[in-house]
């Protein structure tokens, strides 16, 4: 082993183990915050002394638990303070996959299966609760446009939601679907990303990222449908209700480190 090989081995080991550690931390944070949400909701609905706390519940919990900035939404899946500190230290370059929460839980929209009649219904509900949605998506998202009009060969296309990520320095296009993932959805999002790279991206921008939100997804279908497309396409499942305790256990047991 020469010096260059030593550097390569250590660099590969470091990046691999950092990614595994980050995944383990995010998994634990997801489970913690899901359970925290469930416990708080249960207390608000059935707690014998809930009336004594009222709107001051989170503040009083923060004081008793000595947890700064306690929120039912702001900690989900990502440790915002740790992420910010990591970026400031430039300990390692942030990748698009690092800024996307998994899964996306949209129970704050107050919707149910019957309410999701069209994609416009979902889009409007998100915009009505934009602050909560930005917290759920993760750190650094800035809203830019709704139904962004794209003209190609005389035909108009419309990207559902467009954000700019101030840390990654790139556009993030979010497509909303009210059914399970289908292969044509990935092709549609790939079209938008290619358009943004050619027509919208500035010289100092990084390539755009596409996030497709569906009610269900099959990992194998996603793998085959996105193979050969833009690597910055991410297919995510969203939920309109908080998971049950059994679903949390299943999520933890099936997660890949």
């Amino acid at each position: 082993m020469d010096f260059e090989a030593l550097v390569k081995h250590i660099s590969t080991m470091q990046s691999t183990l950092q990614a595994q550690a980050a995944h383990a931390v995010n998994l634990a944070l997801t489970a913690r915050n899901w359970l925290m949400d469930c416990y708080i909701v249960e207390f608000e609905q059935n707690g014998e002394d809930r009336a004594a706390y009222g709107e001051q519940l989170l503040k009083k919990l923060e004081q008793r638990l000595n947890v700064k900035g306690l929120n039912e939404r702001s900690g989900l899946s990502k440790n915002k303070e740790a992420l910010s500190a990591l970026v400031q230290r430039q300990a390692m370059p942030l990748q698009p996959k690092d800024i996307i929460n998994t899964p996306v839980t949209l129970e704050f929209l107050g919707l149910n299966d019957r309410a999701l009649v069209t994609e416009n219904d979902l889009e409007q509900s998100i915009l009505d609760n934009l602050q909560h949605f930005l917290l759920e998506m993760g750190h650094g998202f800035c809203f830019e446009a709704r139904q962004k009009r794209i003209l190609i060969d005389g035909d108009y296309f419309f990207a559902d939601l467009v954000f700019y990520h101030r840390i990654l320095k790139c556009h993030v296009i979010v497509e909303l679907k009210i059914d399970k993932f289908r292969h044509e959805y990935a092709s549609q999002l790939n079209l938008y990303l290619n358009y943004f790279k050619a027509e919208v991206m500035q010289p100092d921008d990084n390539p755009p990222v596409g996030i497709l939100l569906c009610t269900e997804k099959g990992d194998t279908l996603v793998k085959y449908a996105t193979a050969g497309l833009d690597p910055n396409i991410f297919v995510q499942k969203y939920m309109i209700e908080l998971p049950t305790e059994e679903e949390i256990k299943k999520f933890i047991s099936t997660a890949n480190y």
Side-chain angles (χ1 to χ4, degrees), residues 158-175:
F158 297 88
D160 290 339
L161 299 173
V162 178
F163 300 87
Y164 191 83
H165 200 279
R166 62 183 181 83
I167 297 176
L168 293 178
K169 297 189 181 305
C170 70
H171 282 93
V172 179
I173 304 167
V174 177
E175 278 295 291

Side-chain angles (χ1 to χ4, degrees), residues 109 111 115-127 146-147 158-161 174-180 182 184-185 188 192 212-215 238:
L109 298 180
L111 298 174
L116 289 178
V117 179
T118 68
E119 291 168 7
N120 285 337
D121 294 332
L122 177 59
E123 182 180 307
Q124 186 60 55
S125 295
I126 287 174
L127 291 176
R146 171 192 187 184
Q147 290 294 305
F158 297 88
D160 290 339
L161 299 173
V174 177
E175 278 295 291
L176 306 170
K177 303 299 178 184
I178 59 171
D179 57 355
K180 66 181 182 180
R182 294 161 59 180
E184 56 263 36
Y185 295 160
Q188 176 189 20
Y192 295 162
L212 180 60
L213 295 181
C214 302
T215 57
Y238 68 87

Side-chain angles (χ1 to χ4, degrees), residues 184-203:
E184 56 263 36
Y185 295 160
S187 178
Q188 176 189 20
L189 189 52
N190 191 63
L191 171 70
Y192 295 162
L193 293 184
N194 286 330
Y195 174 87
F196 266 71
K197 281 187 282 188
E199 306 291 342
V200 179
M201 196 173 93
Q202 298 298 306

